[in-house]
Amino acid sequence: MGKMALILMSTVSLLSIAACGTGDLETRTVVEKSGKKITVMDNASESVYTQLKLEGIDKLDGVRGMDWLSDDTLVVDKENTLMTAVTVEGEKRYPHNFYLRNLSTGKEQPLKESEKSLGFALLSPDKKNLFYKETYEATGIGYIMNLETGVTVKTGDAEFMTTEGEWSDNEHVIFPNMEGDILKVDLSGNSEIAVDTGVTYVHNVVQSGSKIYYVAHEDSQLIAYDTESKQSKVIKKDVMWVIPSPDGSRLAIVKRTAPTEMTLFLCDDEGNEQSTLASGTQVFGTSWSPDGSKLAYTTTAENGKENRLFITEVETGEQTPISDDMQASDKLRWSPSGKKLLTSTAVLKDNTYQFIAYVITLS
């Protein structure tokens, strides 16, 4: 199996497969924009649309959306055909590099070019630095690039999983190594062990305020490490993902609640459940809006043919169904204004995987 397919498997294998109870969702319409069509769902309950409306969905072929530089500019990943191709399984493949794409004009300009494939880019909260990986199948080496100067530093020589790594603040990234330690690296590339977990494998590492959350052990314990008290506490078991709200006061937690069922809970910062938002075979892509008022997430039916995207108003529980045929391989990402959503998927075409990015505009 080629390198590209293995990289895709490392993310696509995380896809949500769920069937949520969403009421009457039988009416469907088709949104057409830039010559592309995608089915969106309508809901007979008018109250669902009192806070949020779908303006349109743009489909961007051939690119993988990474992050928002602004509401009109994306960091995207695509093949760089100006570089030297390598032959894999009889096919020529070009390295994947980063570009800035202007949504108004559709034009792209190179952001980071390399003879090696790059991926999994994430901008710092202040949009001044880019954290990314030089990818080797499902693992990679981390780098941080200053967007103003173009200067790049390595986060370390050891490989780690490409799906791991988050900004803990504007000046540090945090991720687990392959030995189970949680590392924190600054903009100069200086590294320290933030948490000695005492186990050989952890994942879903994210920091919110003084707490570092991570999932460990065979029973998928969600552990909170307090950087001030230096104490760790198990707050939940059977956890797949934890997503802290922007202010850190709440957690969106996806748990395995049965052998073939996952449930998305809204919890306080100690993991105490406040409400249930969705359940099904799996739930994926969960992301908070910048103001913390909404949660976006995707579900996929057990048959694998219905891929649904929802947005829930956290305080009222009102749910807006966006689409029932949009498969998301990556985490949903909100634009700075909270008026747009970005996600990507990969489809098999001509015996090779090709990326598609979706930009969802809301009002």
Side-chain angles (χ1 to χ4, degrees), residues 126-297:
D126 61 9
K127 309 297 183 182
K128 294 182 179 180
N129 293 278
L130 186 74
F131 174 47
Y132 67 93
K133 291 97 174 184
E134 185 178 288
T135 59
Y136 310 105
E137 300 181 352
T139 63
I141 299 290
Y143 291 85
I144 299 174
M145 183 178 76
N146 183 300
L147 294 186
E148 182 178 358
T149 65
V151 173
T152 299
V153 299
K154 188 184 292 188
T155 62
D157 293 324
E159 297 179 28
F160 60 98
M161 299 301 295
T162 54
T163 52
E164 293 293 334
E166 297 283 346
W167 288 92
S168 59
D169 54 37
N170 286 321
E171 299 180 346
H172 298 86
V173 294
I174 191 168
F175 57 89
N177 63 18
M178 304 300 281
E179 287 74 44
D181 295 321
I182 297 175
L183 304 181
K184 181 176 282 190
V185 183
D186 67 18
L187 299 180
S188 298
N190 300 311
S191 175
E192 64 175 342
I193 296 178
V195 185
D196 181 358
T197 66
V199 298
T200 57
Y201 175 71
V202 300
H203 66 96
N204 190 209
V205 175
V206 61
Q207 183 167 358
S208 178
S210 64
K211 292 182 179 179
I212 297 175
Y213 297 96
Y214 61 96
V215 179
H217 302 292
E218 292 182 358
D219 53 357
S220 299
Q221 294 178 0
L222 174 59
I223 299 173
Y225 174 80
D226 193 308
T227 58
E228 296 176 351
S229 68
K230 311 298 183 184
Q231 299 295 314
S232 296
K233 179 182 178 181
V234 177
I235 61 176
K236 235 170 184 54
K237 294 183 179 181
D238 300 315
V239 172
M240 304 304 296
W241 296 283
V242 57
I243 309 94
S245 63
D247 66 0
S249 65
R250 289 177 169 177
L251 303 174
I253 293 177
V254 177
K255 282 183 57 181
R256 183 172 295 283
T257 49
T260 59
E261 180 184 71
M262 290 187 184
T263 302
L264 173 62
F265 295 99
L266 182 64
C267 306
D268 64 19
D269 62 353
E270 293 293 327
N272 299 306
E273 295 169 10
Q274 298 176 332
S275 61
T276 301
L277 301 182
S279 64
T281 305
Q282 289 188 16
V283 182
F284 181 69
T286 310
S287 180
W288 291 88
S289 61
D291 63 2
S293 66
K294 303 176 185 67
L295 273 168
Y297 51 92

